[in-house]
Amino acid sequence: MLATPSSSCGCKLHNMPKEKKIVLRGLFSSLFCFLLFVLFVTSGYAQQRITADVTTRQVMKNKSLRVERQLFYTAGGNLVIHYTYPQEYYLTTNGLGEVTVYSPKNNEVTMFRDNTVSSQSETMISFISPDHANLGLRQMGFVQKKSEKEGKRIVKTFIPTLKEDKIYSKVVVVSEQGEPIYCAFYDKNNNIVRKTYYAEYVRLPMVSFPTRITQISYGNVGDSIVRQEVYKNIKTSGFASSEMFDFKVPANAKRVNPFESKK
């Protein structure tokens, strides 16, 4: 099981098994989460650069997947992701959802646009936003219904207002010392369909960020998907210059149609 658009970076999305589509969507969500994070951090720092090493571990239907990647971002530029395991490839993306995937092994490049990169359907995507204390729920069309104090923790309940969000009955966010540590989405039957834990915060200029994000999603038949993102070596300064910030796909790379099946 490989969390890449395809084994050859051909991005055959229409032929991809459902499980792989779920993994791909989850990884894109994580990528955009980081993109929002760096945009927020660097908003006051022209030409600021930032890097991070990320390990994703996901378990679905008794199958385990580990993906390792390095992230490179320059304020005002693209986000560059260098995947190093289980397969090496490079992915660049921007706030418009324009994606380029390059496979050095095959010297092939795929270019496409995917709204899931900029979608806010996943809670953690909106974690770093002007409303980050509420995980960006207001921007997603939710309004706060109540707020309660339970010891040192604050428990907020949000309800949907937009028609497209009516699949959820409510969202509960638990915060401690001003930082979200837990979030749960409930369906119309008041069952949890997705919950996320935020832990091990690191404080950076202008923002604090959870370096360990664990999400559990529940399917219709009791199946669950557990995904954990661990961020390490997050740097906003003091690192050696790297050509990865300005990564360009080789001019002689063969362009592959993402919707074309290979025979």
Side-chain angles (χ1 to χ4, degrees):
M1 188 174 185
L2 186 62
T4 65
S6 74
S7 60
S8 62
C9 290
C11 292
K12 300 183 284 294
L13 301 180
H14 69 302
N15 290 325
M16 186 180 295
K18 183 178 180 181
E19 292 182 5
K20 285 191 176 183
K21 287 183 179 180
I22 294 174
V23 173
L24 181 61
R25 183 178 296 274
L27 289 176
F28 275 163
S29 296
S30 300
L31 295 178
F32 190 65
C33 175
F34 185 80
L35 180 57
L36 287 176
F37 163 59
V38 294
L39 284 172
F40 187 73
V41 171
T42 59
S43 60
Y45 297 86
Q47 302 303 314
Q48 177 69 55
R49 290 182 167 185
I50 185 169
T51 66
D53 298 331
V54 187
T55 298
T56 301
R57 288 184 173 85
Q58 180 163 299
V59 177
M60 179 172 59
K61 293 184 177 180
N62 297 321
K63 294 182 179 180
S64 179
L65 169 71
R66 186 177 99 250
V67 177
E68 295 182 0
R69 62 191 186 274
Q70 298 172 313
L71 310 180
F72 303 84
Y73 183 81
T74 303
N78 292 336
L79 173 64
V80 178
I81 306 99
H82 179 202
Y83 284 83
T84 58
Y85 183 86
Q87 177 178 326
E88 182 184 24
Y89 68 96
Y90 299 83
L91 186 151
T92 64
T93 185
N94 56 31
L96 300 177
E98 297 170 338
V99 181
T100 298
V101 181
Y102 172 66
S103 168
K105 179 179 179 179
N106 304 305
N107 196 30
E108 292 180 345
V109 60
T110 296
M111 300 178 184
F112 62 97
R113 197 170 201 164
D114 195 315
N115 290 331
T116 61
V117 178
S118 56
S119 169
Q120 295 194 12
S121 61
E122 296 287 342
T123 303
M124 65 179 182
I125 300 176
S126 302
F127 184 83
I128 305 300
S129 71
D131 189 36
H132 68 280
N134 298 315
L135 299 172
L137 287 170
R138 291 191 176 94
Q139 282 70 35
M140 294 169 62
F142 291 83
V143 294
Q144 184 174 319
K145 182 179 180 180
K146 63 179 179 179
S147 178
E148 302 173 310
K149 188 173 182 179
E150 296 183 0
K152 296 181 179 180
R153 297 179 175 180
I154 301 297
V155 180
K156 298 180 182 179
T157 301
F158 296 80
I159 57 175
T161 58
L162 298 179
K163 182 178 180 180
E164 55 267 31
D165 288 324
K166 293 296 185 179
I167 59 175
Y168 303 115
S169 62
K170 65 179 179 180
V171 182
V172 174
V173 177
V174 179
S175 299
E176 191 171 276
Q177 296 182 343
E179 303 291 359
I181 60 173
Y182 172 80
C183 175
F185 279 72
Y186 291 76
D187 63 15
K188 293 181 179 180
N189 296 320
N190 207 36
N191 297 316
I192 295 178
V193 294
R194 184 172 75 244
K195 57 184 178 182
T196 309
Y197 299 87
Y198 307 95
E200 299 181 19
Y201 278 80
V202 60
R203 295 194 177 278
L204 298 171
M206 300 175 65
V207 69
S208 58
F209 184 73
T211 59
R212 187 179 297 272
I213 302 175
T214 304
Q215 184 180 94
I216 305 174
S217 301
Y218 300 93
N220 296 327
V221 292
D223 291 333
S224 63
I225 301 173
V226 180
R227 183 173 67 248
Q228 184 178 83
E229 300 282 345
V230 177
Y231 291 77
K232 293 183 179 180
N233 302 322
I234 302 176
K235 299 180 181 179
T236 58
S237 62
F239 44 77
S241 177
S242 172
E243 61 182 12
M244 285 301 304
F245 286 105
D246 304 308
F247 174 78
K248 301 293 183 184
V249 173
N252 65 344
K254 179 182 178 181
R255 184 162 180 172
V256 178
N257 189 329
F259 304 106
E260 183 178 87
S261 297
K262 289 188 175 182
K263 297 182 180 180

